[in-house]
Amino acid sequence: MEIVILDDAQAIGRLAADQVCTLLARKPDAVLGLATGSSPLPVYDELVRRHQAGEVTFGQARAFTLDEYVGLAAGHPERYRNVIDREFTGRVDLDPSRVAGPDGLARDVPAACAAYERAITDAGGVDLQILGIGTDGHIAFNEPGSSLASRTRIKTLTHQTRVDNARFFGGDVDAVPTHCLTQGLATIMAARHVLLVATGQGKAQAVHELAEGAVSALWPATVLQHHPHVSILVDEAAASRLQLVGYYRETYLAKPAWQGL
Ligand code: F6R
């Protein structure tokens, strides 16, 4: 697990975009794992900018989103499949048929979740998974108490997550769905490289637990301590509760240029 502390969200966006571009240069048909929410937006904006500048193409890439609210109508602006299209995939040359998400309107939920797992596997697995983290330590919508071995399934959102996400629903917490379909922690752990971005004081405790806390279902992101290739990009505020912050800075400064993330 590598922790990189950067000045601001834009610097995080640039470094994360570097990783995506390096991957696509090596493997044009790479499989990207995409998070929604605010944290990855600077990454997506930077990738769109580079795409418009002719520096990167997504023409052969594929993408899988992490999660989806249950019950939001197909045209709802906050349905994650629509959000990712608006924020990223619809702004680059990624064919919509090559972007998939869990089906939050499925009648047979277990079958839809199993089909999503199969689709990821059939695509060869996720090469690079972009993640955010919730204030309660969730990744995707694996809320505290999630099985560390979980796969795509239905989950109940915590009240805290619904309060956090009410800003996308006009501030109305009751408008935030109570349930979601989400990739499980084991699904995320199968990605070959995990790149987690977090900014702001509100994420400081979760980032500390993720990197330095005991591995526990209480802080689901801690499962990433068992992953061999995780990069955590944070700003100063999100890094403010890290115990070994000096060591992380020294390590990154002294890193050989050839190594990348
Ligand atoms: C969204 C997702 C969530 C968010 C998390 C942080 O697809 O999987 O885990 O990454 O809730 O959200 P933001 O970035 O909005 O603070």
Side-chain angles (χ1 to χ4, degrees):
M1 182 173 277
E2 176 176 33
I3 299 175
V4 183
I5 302 155
L6 296 162
D7 285 344
D8 53 29
Q10 282 61 44
I12 291 172
R14 286 192 295 274
L15 187 56
D18 287 348
Q19 296 314 301
V20 176
C21 293
T22 302
L23 170 66
L24 288 170
R26 175 172 62 79
K27 186 178 181 186
D29 60 349
V31 178
L32 303 175
L34 303 176
T36 43
S38 328
S39 309
L41 294 181
V43 184
Y44 299 149
D45 285 345
E46 178 63 15
L47 286 170
V48 170
R49 193 193 66 70
R50 293 185 193 192
H51 170 66
Q52 287 170 347
E55 294 170 23
V56 62
T57 174
F58 297 84
Q60 295 179 56
R62 298 195 57 167
F64 290 90
T65 59
L66 283 171
D67 39 22
E68 185 58 90
Y69 291 116
V70 167
L72 288 190
H76 194 291
E78 292 310 321
R79 182 177 166 244
Y80 277 168
R81 184 61 186 76
N82 298 333
V83 171
I84 203 67
D85 187 46
R86 187 170 68 236
E87 305 288 8
F88 179 47
T89 54
R91 300 163 69 202
V92 296
D93 59 342
L94 221 172
D95 191 307
S97 68
R98 298 174 74 82
V99 181
D103 181 2
L105 292 171
R107 282 173 171 272
D108 184 342
V109 168
C113 293
Y116 197 57
E117 287 280 334
R118 265 196 315 277
I120 296 172
T121 305
D122 290 350
V126 170
D127 290 296
L128 178 62
Q129 176 64 58
I130 296 170
L131 284 184
I133 186 169
T135 55
D136 62 2
H138 69 234
I139 49 175
F141 275 143
N142 293 282
E143 297 284 29
S146 290
S147 160
L148 303 186
S150 50
R151 292 281 174 178
T152 303
R153 69 216 182 287
I154 190 166
K155 288 292 288 182
T156 307
L157 295 171
T158 62
H159 183 67
Q160 182 61 54
T161 296
R162 295 178 67 230
V163 168
D164 288 347
N165 287 5
R167 67 191 191 282
F168 299 115
F169 291 82
D172 178 8
V173 69
D174 293 329
V176 183
T178 52
H179 290 80
C180 62
L181 302 188
T182 179
Q183 286 190 27
L185 293 170
T187 319
I188 294 168
M189 288 288 284
R192 285 181 270 281
H193 182 192
V194 174
L195 200 162
L196 185 146
V197 297
T199 50
Q201 188 67 37
K203 301 293 173 71
Q205 180 71 20
V207 168
H208 160 67
E209 298 290 347
L210 152 66
E212 299 172 332
V215 175
S216 155
L218 196 56
W219 291 93
T222 57
V223 73
L224 295 175
Q225 292 177 27
H226 284 294
H227 193 289
H229 193 184
V230 177
S231 308
I232 298 172
L233 313 188
V234 288
D235 67 359
E236 295 286 346
S240 60
R241 297 192 72 159
L242 287 170
Q243 241 172 281
L244 303 182
V245 67
Y247 177 64
Y248 305 139
R249 286 189 213 281
E250 282 166 29
T251 307
Y252 187 62
L253 278 175
K255 192 170 184 177
W258 54 263
Q259 211 174 8
L261 282 184

